[in-house]
């Protein structure tokens, strides 16, 4: 159709298309802001909202108390371990000293040292007794640490069971929230798509067509970009089912539109040539001729063949002769390209219409 437009009209139409795109961009920005804020209408639930609180409270107290007991027992164990190390070192030193003394006594064989032998043996026994006592404290403290750790482990295992049950409920709630948010989006975008379809069918050629097309672009973006990515999956079943439904609806619309178009074309081809010519707009006729197709039936025609004056498919006149100069011209031209006579000012045969 651009070949039939005036130069200024082409630039005006390009500017209006730019207006349509800018208008659509602002609508898309506003729509995206609204859609992104929709999840805020739902309160975000946490795992804590679904856990069994009466059962979880004592378990958490046990975990907390066990952690504190284990920490304190570990600190006490470190202190007692130092005491054990000191006692073991003292006992080892005493045994070494006693061994040296025994070796010296055997060398000198002095009977008057028997009393000192008894005293040294008692001192050595005292060091050993101290070491054994500290070792018992270490063992007792290790038992405390082990008991606290096992109690904490049992409580955590029981707590994990409660958390797994709560996680199942939380996941189900997330799915419900996702579905509700999707329905909110659908409630906003589906009416826009319906309005866009009505505008496309009724108003796309109206005076304010840039705003009509801008709204159509916005509605398509809102539906296919802002809505479809949030479509619940449920294992892919929902997406595939929705895809099948949309394909069937679009396919059915295309089939019905095609059959209606063919019916209109068949009916139009049965009309007289003059009636069919009057029903075709000048711009549409020139656009189809520019594509080397018949303006009436839209079938291919060799327009460069000088012997073809009528469409071989539907019979509509494609070329005639100027009533003033008899030059062969397009039957849809408003003026003769050779002499400039109006196509309605002169009829074939030389009769000139009054000015």
């Amino acid at each position: 159709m651009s070949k039939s437009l005036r130069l200024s009209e082409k630039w005006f139409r390009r500017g209006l298309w730019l207006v349509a795109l800018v208008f659509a961009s602002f609508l898309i920005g506003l729509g995206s802001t609204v859609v992104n804020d929709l999840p805020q209408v739902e309160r975000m639930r946490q795992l804590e909202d679904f856990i069994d609180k009466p059962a979880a409270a004592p378990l958490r107290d046990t975990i907390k108390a066990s952690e504190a007991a284990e920490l304190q027992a570990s600190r006490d164990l470190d202190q007692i371990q130092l005491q054990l190390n000191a006692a073991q070192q003292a006992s080892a030193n005493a045994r070494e000293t006693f061994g040296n003394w025994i070796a010296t006594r055997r060398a000198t064989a002095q009977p008057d040292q028997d009393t000192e032998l008894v005293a040294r043996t008692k001192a050595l026994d005292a060091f050993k007794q101290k070491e054994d006592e500290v070792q018992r404290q270490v063992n007792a403290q290790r038992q405390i640490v082990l008991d606290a750790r096992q109690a904490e482990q049992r409580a955590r295992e029981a707590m994990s069971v409660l958390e797994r049950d709560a996680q199942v409920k939380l996941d189900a709630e997330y799915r419900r929230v996702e579905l509700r948010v999707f329905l909110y989006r659908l409630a906003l975008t589906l009416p826009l798509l319906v309005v866009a379809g009505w505008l496309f069918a009724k108003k796309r050629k109206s005076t304010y067509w840039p705003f009509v097309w801008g709204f159509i672009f916005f509605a398509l973006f809102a539906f296919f970009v802002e809505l479809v990515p949030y479509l619940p999956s449920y294992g892919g079943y929902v997406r595939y089912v929705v895809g099948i439904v949309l394909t069937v609806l679009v396919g059915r619309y295309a089939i019905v539109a095609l059959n209606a178009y063919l019916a209109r074309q068949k009916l139009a081809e049965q009309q007289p040539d003059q009636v069919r010519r009057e029903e075709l707009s000048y711009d549409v006729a020139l656009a189809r001729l520019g594509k080397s197709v018949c303006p009436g039936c839209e079938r291919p025609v060799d327009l460069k063949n000088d012997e073809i004056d009528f469409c071989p498919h539907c019979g509509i006149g494609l070329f005639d002769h100027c009533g003033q100069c008899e030059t062969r011209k397009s039957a849809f031209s408003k003026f003769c390209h050779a002499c400039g006579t109006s196509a309605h000012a002169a009829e074939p045969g030389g009769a000139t219409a009054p000015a």
Side-chain angles (χ1 to χ4, degrees), residues 30-218:
L30 177 62
S32 299
T33 302
V34 174
V35 170
N36 291 333
D37 288 340
L38 281 178
Q40 298 181 11
V41 302
E42 293 285 342
R43 185 174 72 89
M44 297 305 297
R45 309 296 293 271
Q46 304 294 331
L47 185 67
E48 188 63 26
D49 297 328
F50 297 94
I51 202 164
D52 188 355
K53 293 181 177 59
L59 292 177
R60 287 173 175 165
D61 293 340
T62 301
I63 293 174
K64 185 176 180 180
S66 298
E67 288 177 344
E70 182 181 355
L71 179 61
Q72 185 61 42
S74 298
R75 292 173 179 174
D76 295 340
L77 179 60
D78 292 339
Q79 295 293 332
I80 299 175
Q81 188 68 48
L82 291 176
Q83 297 178 15
L84 177 61
N85 294 337
Q88 290 175 342
Q89 185 63 40
S91 179
N93 293 337
R95 284 195 297 272
E96 182 179 0
T97 302
F98 182 74
N100 294 335
W101 183 82
I102 287 294
T104 302
R105 182 178 181 278
R106 288 176 179 172
T108 57
Q110 296 178 358
D112 58 342
Q113 292 181 342
D114 290 342
T115 303
E116 185 177 356
L117 176 62
V118 173
R120 286 178 177 271
T121 302
K122 290 182 178 180
L124 188 61
D125 292 340
F127 280 115
K128 182 60 177 174
Q129 184 177 0
K130 178 64 175 179
E131 180 182 351
D132 293 342
E133 180 182 352
V134 177
Q135 183 64 54
R136 285 193 296 270
Q137 294 179 5
V138 169
N139 294 337
Q141 205 63 35
R142 286 177 177 171
Q143 186 64 45
I144 295 175
V145 172
L146 180 61
D147 292 341
R149 188 172 299 162
Q150 290 178 344
E152 177 186 353
Q153 184 178 1
R154 288 191 298 269
R156 288 189 181 279
E157 290 175 353
M159 192 67 187
S160 65
V161 174
L162 297 179
E163 289 177 349
R164 282 196 298 270
D165 295 339
Q167 187 64 48
V168 172
K169 298 178 182 178
L170 180 61
D171 293 340
E173 179 62 19
Y174 279 157
R175 288 191 294 270
R176 288 191 291 268
V177 170
E178 181 184 28
L179 180 59
R180 287 197 295 269
V181 172
F182 171 76
L183 293 177
Y184 297 152
R185 290 188 171 98
L186 183 62
L188 287 177
T189 57
L190 189 58
L192 296 178
L193 198 62
V194 173
V195 173
W198 180 83
L199 289 175
F200 177 79
K202 302 293 184 181
K203 301 294 183 179
R204 69 178 184 272
K205 296 182 180 179
S206 65
T207 303
Y208 300 99
W209 64 265
F211 300 108
V212 172
W213 279 103
F215 187 88
I216 291 173
F217 294 151
F218 157 65

Side-chain angles (χ1 to χ4, degrees), residues 288-352:
R288 292 177 181 177
L289 288 173
K291 298 176 182 178
S292 296
V293 297
C294 172
C297 65
E298 299 185 52
R299 295 185 178 95
V301 178
D302 185 9
L303 299 178
K304 296 179 180 180
N305 189 342
D306 295 337
E307 297 180 357
I308 295 179
D309 288 339
F310 294 88
C311 175
H313 307 291
C314 68
I316 193 172
L318 301 176
F319 295 93
D320 58 13
H321 293 79
C322 174
Q324 185 70 26
C325 66
E326 294 297 327
T327 300
R328 185 175 182 267
K329 66 177 183 64
S330 172
F332 297 92
S333 297
K334 293 183 178 181
F335 296 88
C336 175
H337 63 273
C339 66
T341 302
S342 172
H344 302 289
E347 298 297 331
T352 304

